[in-house]
Amino acid sequence: MRFTRLTAVLLCAVLTAGCQSLWNGGTTVRTTDAAVKSGTGELRTDLEPLTKRFEALGTPQQARWMSGTLGSDRAPGPSTYWIDAVITLPENKIDELRSAYSPESAGKAPDVVDGLRGELPNGSFLTSDRLDQAFTADKWFAKAYLVPDDRALVLVATGT
């Protein structure tokens, strides 16, 4: 068989397309464990680990939260941590956050781990990019949801 310029172009196109599907989210056996939240399953109520990481909380009244790592423990290297929290704040703090960041209805409940779903308030979840930014600091990235009627803030955060 004779190797022609057309054959070379076709071979390069096939190889490039295959690589692009992997880079653009193509599925492989290696990616099936990615982004899975794992943890101890312990429902925590201590406030200090939350207030230390998220200064915008101020002084919460109470919290129920869970944490752990993302992905598989088999992967070497640094870990990415997650925190899902339902936090009760003083009414004046809720009013301050609502006034400063103008959150609007999210249209759905936050995606928290199963062990915390029963702790979610029943009201309308309000969020905004600016509210998220208020709780994003020191290598922690958060999605924040206010439920003013219940004086609750729900945080879904990841960090290193």
Side-chain angles (χ1 to χ4, degrees), residues 85-117:
V86 178
I87 304 156
T88 303
L89 297 171
E91 190 168 338
N92 64 336
K93 185 64 173 181
I94 292 289
D95 292 342
E96 173 189 319
L97 293 171
R98 194 171 189 182
S99 174
Y101 303 111
S102 305
E104 297 179 356
S105 178
K108 61 179 182 161
D111 186 20
V112 297
V113 291
D114 289 341
L116 199 62
R117 279 205 187 103

Side-chain angles (χ1 to χ4, degrees), residues 56-62 87-94 97 135 146 148 150-154:
L57 284 174
T59 307
Q61 293 177 323
Q62 66 177 2
I87 304 156
T88 303
L89 297 171
E91 190 168 338
N92 64 336
K93 185 64 173 181
I94 292 289
L97 293 171
F135 291 94
L146 277 179
D150 290 337
R151 295 188 0 254
L153 174 76
V154 179

Side-chain angles (χ1 to χ4, degrees), residues 20-34:
Q20 284 179 343
S21 72
L22 290 176
W23 292 326
N24 293 330
T27 57
T28 66
V29 174
R30 296 174 197 225
T31 61
T32 57
D33 289 339

Side-chain angles (χ1 to χ4, degrees), residues 26-46:
T27 57
T28 66
V29 174
R30 296 174 197 225
T31 61
T32 57
D33 289 339
V36 173
K37 289 180 178 179
S38 62
T40 65
E42 176 188 5
L43 183 62
R44 297 178 62 174
T45 58
D46 49 328

